[in-house]
Amino acid sequence: MGDGRQPVDLIVMNVGELLTLDGPPGGRVGKAARDLSIIRGGAIACREGRIVAVGTEREVIGDHRAGRDAVVLDARGSTVSPGLVDPHTHAVFARTREDEFAMRIEGRSYEEIAEAGGGIRSSVRYVRAATEDELLNVGSATLDRMMAHGTTTAEVKSGYGLSLDAEIKTLKVIAELGESHAIDVVPTFLGAHEFPDEWRDDRDGYVSHVADQMIPAVTSRRLARFCDVFCEEGVFTVEQSRKVLEAGRARGLAPKIHADELHPSGGAELAAELGAASADHLVCVSERGIRALAAAGVPAVLLPGTTLSLGKTDFAPARTMIELGVPVALATDCNPGSSMTESMQIIISLASMMLRMTPAEAITAATVNAAVAVGAADEVGSIAPGKLCDLVIWEVDDHRAIPYHYGVNLARTVVKRGRVVVDRESDGGPDGR
Ligand code: NIG
Ligand code: FE
């Protein structure tokens, strides 16, 4: 029996502070990055995984009713945001590297450990020896932890295989995770992550191998959306990076760059020249590089967890980027070497505490701007009709408490494509209410 109202299959009501992040398409820069488009006393209705209505409770309930078997979630006055988007992870690996972490605490640098055969190359040895099932198990446990902390979309890179077979194996695992896990996975090919042992004496030879052999193998199997490269002193030069990224782009892979992480290496300028989908890290970026990113509209993906985990105290110049008009996004960089965390919440806290991003800027960077950085802003990153119904119902009722109350999980309920995928309340947590 109808009453004129449309039946829907999920309603979230009684939202104290609804952070819609709704606004014009594209990355948010300058003052717009502080505008979360908040509705007070809000509600959301969703059908078949997509949002059909957002507004005040009166507006939404006036036009929509719970259909048969619908789920109605009472937010009890708390904050609701879009599901978090993590636009830079290396979530598929075989083993963790706490041994290297302990060495760094005792004074060895990340680069020294890498030069001695550790670092990325130690992960490569493990990944080459691992089966697809082993990689799938690690990847799936990692995505579970991401989702428990509010992430509903994650970019995942290859780059611990560094041979044609091991890169394809990794990308197949990433594709399988995208199929089997509730999180939406955006796959990136990172064959140019490091020079593997067998190519260290012929670096240009490896670059040609990546460009001429690996990229066609990846694109003919449709295993990636982006092509990334670690442009850094001692790793890929700007010239080598350009060659890899142009080869990727010629076959439909949009470029991304690990740029200016440890030294100013011209990565940001290259990202701007190529119109990259994003330039990531940018701890040592020059002002010229920042201006080039702003002029080209290339989003910056900042990874303060990596700076922290490497024991460094100089963080990426986020304030200058925001002021000069670069769209800033945040990511975990989740990887066993330089940032072993799945939690975008701790990254949001670090962004406020160490990058001096306001709570609103940090939330924008972890939602809509992160979605832009992975080319998914049509689908995710904001709460608006037609978008996927990906939400976090928080334990707090003021978004400023998300960076403020740090080191604990504040995500109470996570909704992915209209389905409750994490419900810590009915699991007895977080506060047993
Ligand atoms: O983004 N910078 C290069 N790649 C990773 C580190 C990978 C590793 O150490 O395993 C990063 O920090
Ligand atoms: Fe990375």
Side-chain angles (χ1 to χ4, degrees), residues 313-327:
T313 47
D314 284 334
F315 285 79
R319 285 255 56 91
T320 312
M321 292 182 203
I322 292 172
E323 271 139 36
L324 293 180
V326 178

Side-chain angles (χ1 to χ4, degrees), residues 34 318-319 322 350-358 361:
R34 293 182 185 219
R319 285 255 56 91
I322 292 172
L350 289 174
S352 283
M353 295 170 182
M354 309 311 293
L355 305 183
R356 309 205 71 78
M357 291 171 67
T358 67
E361 286 169 344

Side-chain angles (χ1 to χ4, degrees), residues 18-23 36-39 54 80-82 381-384:
L18 177 49
L19 316 179
T20 69
L21 281 297
D22 198 18
L36 302 179
S37 295
I38 297 175
I39 298 172
V54 187
V80 171
S81 76
S382 59
I383 300 176

Side-chain angles (χ1 to χ4, degrees), residues 84-89 91 141-154 183 302-306 308 330-335 339-351 362 366 394 402-403 405-411 424:
L84 304 178
V85 177
D86 189 343
H88 181 140
T89 87
T142 305
L143 294 189
D144 285 347
R145 281 188 286 266
M146 288 180 176
M147 196 165 76
H149 291 84
T151 297
T152 49
T153 300
I183 286 189
L302 305 185
L303 310 160
T306 309
L308 181 78
L330 290 165
T332 59
D333 198 14
C334 177
N335 78 78
S339 184
M340 191 57 204
T341 183
E342 291 89 350
S343 170
M344 282 294 284
Q345 291 178 47
I346 189 78
I347 301 302
I348 290 170
S349 289
L350 289 174
W394 297 89
I402 297 172
H405 189 166
Y406 70 100
V408 293
N409 190 1
L410 300 172
R424 293 197 305 130

Side-chain angles (χ1 to χ4, degrees), residues 88-90 120 155 157-158 188 190 192-193 228-232 236 241 245 256-261 265 267-268 278-282 303 333 335 338:
H88 181 140
T89 87
H90 308 249
I120 293 168
E155 185 256 18
K157 302 175 196 296
S158 68
T188 295
L190 178 56
H193 195 193
D228 196 347
V229 47
F230 189 12
C231 179
E232 184 61 60
F236 293 82
S241 301
L245 295 175
K256 278 183 172 277
I257 312 187
H258 281 67
D260 306 304
E261 175 183 358
S265 34
S278 68
D280 301 31
H281 284 289
L282 301 172
L303 310 160
D333 198 14
N335 78 78
S338 63

